Amino acid sequence: MKKRNQVLWALLLTLFALPAFAGNKGDFSEIRPKLVVGIAVDQMRWDYLYRFYDEYVDNGFKRMLRDGYSFENCEINYIPSVTAIGHTSLYTGSVPSIHGIAGNSFMKNGKMAYCCGDTAVQTVGSTTKAGQMSPLNLQVTTIGDELKTATSWKSKVIGVSFKDRAAILPAGHSADAAYWFDKDAKCFITSTYYMDKLPRWVDAYNEKINKKLDINDIQYQPYGNQIVEEMAKAAIRGEKLGQRTNETDMICVSFSCPDITGHQYGTHHELTHKQYIGLDKQLEDFFNYLDATVGKGQWLAFLSADHGAANSIKQNLDHKIPAGSFSGGKTRDALNEMLAKKFSTSEKLIPELFDYKVALDREAIQRAGLKICEVKQAIKECLEKDEMVMYVVDLEKAAEAPVPSYIREKIINGYNRERSGDIQIILKPQFLSGWRNMGYGTSHGLWNSYDCHIPFVLLGWGVEHGNYKHEVHITDIAPTVCSIIHIQKPSGCIGQAVYEKN
């Protein structure tokens, strides 16, 4: 009897010691922050945190590194490393094989489809077709979806970006809204997936945008990031995000203009430098606004990127580093010509070559009386003769491909059976698609560190200062955030929570 009573008292003491969660409103601040802020910078290499460090202001990037927790070796663990996949993986903890976003565009039912394209919805906010977008192709949940579920859909979740895919995919299926910039109308728009009419605060902010500027004076200059930051502040103000009693909201903000500038001018151009110096000041202003509006210590932010970027081909060659340009279009045409001669057929067997992947037309192969395996073998033998190609992998047999395990895992994670094509091309380092602006522009999409080493920094509620030197992955970001705010991981998540307080 005495032993039984001791066990009973131990159980009671344990129950009383447990923290009070959702049922106890008085302890709400111990469960979740008032606002979760996701910040993605399109094409931000990890080293940009430090390359311009001496020129940064005190409370932008420096505040994150000084007061936050930085994971110094966060890697993208799939290919291709492109915008739509990066934003999706950031907020789902998943990879293309599972979440379904296999590229900015990918094969769907035998044809190329844009990642967010949806003709069943219409534009809200302009007369263009730029609003025919939704998360239709996303097959898993996001942080925002799980937050809304955890709070019985009382939380508000909003995405804001210059690019449609960078607003829509992070916010998820059940988001209250996603807003992106219509380059023709020069205003922020959305689609009927979310609403039938823009809120008054969006109309009011759109009136403040300088529409007299040429689009290049917007997207290649700090002003492009400025209007995104101001739109994010307008959303927080207009929807009272993080300002409602005992509710946690989320805003997903993506700054796209560094990517647009980087593609055209490269990683070391003065306009790229200017983008980051301007963005740093905008982050300082944004953090100050969050402190004043939501409350210092009441919001949790995480910073990352969808991908990095290679140094330009011309820059590498100028400094005696091997490099070269790969043309997907020319390679596709050359392969089709080779196949036509080899198999004496007029059929076009390769309709697309995208993201360094060859897509086969199975119906055309069947009409030509050929076998898939013999067509694949012919393509493989031809590509392996190209001096810039390192490996050629049959995606259906990727698990047994004779390539380094590090690369093999990225191939497997990036392969979606229904959407990714058939053959993966792995180029030698510094070889990439694109030869823009006399060779000083750049691109991304490969397995290498310049494309895949990205920032991951936590700041604010529940976060202590520190850093972690060992490798973590982009897929670890979503479960880490979910762990901190006590919600379930997204449905396709393969990552692990990697932040622990000292």
Side-chain angles (χ1 to χ4, degrees):
M1 180 65 74
K2 183 177 180 181
K3 186 176 181 180
R4 184 182 298 174
N5 288 339
Q6 287 176 339
V7 172
L8 180 61
W9 277 111
L11 287 171
L12 289 171
L13 288 172
T14 300
L15 289 171
F16 283 120
L18 289 172
F21 286 105
N24 190 333
K25 295 184 178 181
D27 292 326
F28 174 80
S29 62
E30 297 179 10
I31 305 165
R32 299 189 185 103
K34 292 182 178 179
L35 182 65
V36 180
V37 183
I39 302 171
V41 182
D42 203 324
Q43 203 183 117
M44 184 175 181
R45 293 162 49 119
W46 165 81
D47 60 340
Y48 288 164
L49 283 172
Y50 300 100
R51 187 189 299 178
F52 312 122
Y53 186 87
D54 290 343
E55 298 177 71
Y56 288 153
V57 295
D58 287 338
N59 291 307
F61 288 121
K62 281 185 177 179
R63 177 176 176 181
M64 298 204 82
L65 294 173
R66 180 185 67 244
D67 300 338
Y69 194 97
S70 178
F71 294 86
E72 295 290 282
N73 282 288
C74 184
E75 289 277 340
I76 291 172
N77 54 345
Y78 54 79
I79 49 177
S81 45
V82 297
T83 298
I85 303 177
H87 282 85
T88 304
S89 296
L90 275 172
Y91 286 86
T92 65
S94 192
V95 291
S97 177
I98 298 169
H99 62 53
I101 303 301
N104 293 335
S105 294
F106 44 78
M107 297 298 291
K108 185 178 179 182
N109 300 323
K111 296 181 180 179
M112 290 298 290
Y114 180 61
C115 59
C116 293
D118 187 352
T119 56
V121 300
Q122 302 301 319
T123 304
V124 176
S126 79
T127 58
T128 74
K129 294 183 178 180
Q132 290 189 301
M133 307 287 171
S134 82
L136 172 71
N137 291 314
L138 178 61
Q139 296 176 334
V140 300
T141 61
T142 63
I143 300 171
D145 289 327
E146 296 298 335
L147 176 61
K148 290 184 76 74
T149 302
T151 62
S152 298
W153 297 274
K154 294 176 182 176
S155 294
K156 290 184 179 181
V157 176
I158 290 177
V160 175
S161 181
F162 199 80
K163 293 181 181 178
D164 50 62
R165 55 187 180 268
I168 293 167
L169 297 171
H173 300 278
S174 59
D176 296 271
Y179 301 104
W180 55 95
F181 195 72
D182 185 329
K183 291 185 179 182
D184 292 326
K186 294 178 184 176
C187 65
F188 282 93
I189 62 171
T190 188
S191 84
T192 51
Y193 177 86
Y194 304 99
M195 63 191 71
D196 295 323
K197 184 179 180 180
L198 288 178
R200 289 184 180 180
W201 64 263
V202 178
D203 286 330
Y205 178 69
N206 279 334
E207 290 298 317
K208 298 179 181 179
I209 295 172
N210 186 350
K211 296 179 177 60
K212 294 181 181 179
L213 289 176
D214 181 82
I215 189 60
N216 289 332
D217 292 329
I218 296 175
Q219 63 187 8
Y220 294 135
Q221 299 293 335
Y223 186 65
N225 291 327
Q226 180 184 329
I227 60 176
V228 171
E229 185 230 343
E230 290 177 350
M231 179 65 176
K233 290 193 296 186
I236 292 169
R237 182 169 55 251
E239 300 292 341
K240 297 191 180 300
L241 301 181
Q243 300 160 69
R244 300 177 302 131
T245 303
N246 291 340
E247 300 298 345
T248 295
D249 299 317
M250 183 173 190
I251 186 165
C252 311
V253 186
S254 179
F255 295 98
S256 306
C257 293
D259 178 75
I260 299 169
T261 301
H263 274 296
Q264 183 66 22
Y265 296 102
T267 59
H268 284 71
H269 195 277
E270 177 55 30
L271 285 177
T272 297
H273 173 212
K274 191 175 179 180
Q275 284 277 5
Y276 281 91
I277 299 305
L279 178 59
D280 177 55
K281 294 175 182 177
Q282 289 148 8
L283 286 177
E284 179 180 60
D285 178 71
F286 189 49
F287 294 154
N288 288 340
Y289 179 80
L290 292 173
D291 286 342
T293 306
V294 180
K296 193 170 184 178
Q298 298 300 309
W299 49 273
L300 168 68
F302 62 96
L303 168 77
S304 193
D306 53 349
H307 54 75
N311 292 322
S312 69
I313 296 167
K314 187 68 165 60
Q315 176 184 308
N316 280 328
L317 293 176
D318 287 348
H319 293 277
K320 302 179 182 179
I321 297 173
S325 178
F326 175 85
S327 171
K330 289 181 180 178
T331 302
R332 176 201 61 210
D333 293 344
L335 288 172
N336 272 321
E337 184 177 347
M338 177 275 296
L339 293 170
K341 290 180 180 179
K342 183 177 181 66
F343 296 113
S344 301
T345 179
S346 59
E347 294 283 356
K348 184 178 179 181
L349 305 184
I350 302 173
E352 301 288 347
L353 197 160
F354 64 101
D355 292 334
Y356 309 100
K357 290 181 173 70
V358 178
L360 300 179
D361 186 333
R362 280 167 160 69
E363 292 182 0
I365 292 172
Q366 187 176 21
R367 287 196 299 270
L370 302 172
K371 296 179 180 179
I372 297 289
C373 60
E374 61 185 357
V375 173
K376 285 183 177 180
Q377 184 61 30
I379 293 170
K380 188 174 186 293
E381 291 175 358
C382 182
L383 287 171
E384 286 176 342
K385 294 176 184 177
D386 192 321
E387 292 184 354
M388 71 180 73
V389 174
M390 190 161 61
Y391 301 110
V392 183
V393 176
D394 180 344
L395 285 168
E396 289 183 333
K397 300 178 180 179
E400 57 195 65
V403 302
S405 59
Y406 187 75
I407 299 175
R408 188 188 307 121
E409 181 182 358
K410 292 191 176 191
I411 294 172
I412 293 170
N413 285 343
Y415 172 52
N416 185 285
R417 181 178 57 82
E418 296 176 330
R419 299 179 175 184
S420 290
D422 300 275
I423 295 173
Q424 177 74 58
I425 302 169
I426 301 293
L427 301 179
K428 293 177 180 177
Q430 293 89 238
F431 286 79
L432 63 147
S433 291
W435 189 264
R436 306 186 188 196
N437 195 26
M438 301 300 291
Y440 284 105
T442 190
S443 191
H444 49 86
L446 299 169
W447 66 271
N448 313 74
S449 60
Y450 43 74
D451 281 0
C452 294
H453 188 186
I454 57 174
F456 173 26
V457 189
L458 296 162
L459 176 68
W461 186 92
V463 175
E464 296 177 347
H465 171 63
N467 61 70
Y468 186 75
K469 302 293 187 183
H470 300 286
E471 183 172 318
V472 300
H473 301 122
I474 189 172
T475 48
D476 296 326
I477 295 175
T480 297
V481 173
C482 290
S483 175
I484 293 173
I485 64 174
H486 302 109
I487 64 173
Q488 182 61 276
K489 293 186 291 187
S491 60
C493 182
I494 65 168
Q496 301 293 324
V498 290
Y499 172 74
E500 291 184 7
K501 287 187 178 181
N502 295 327

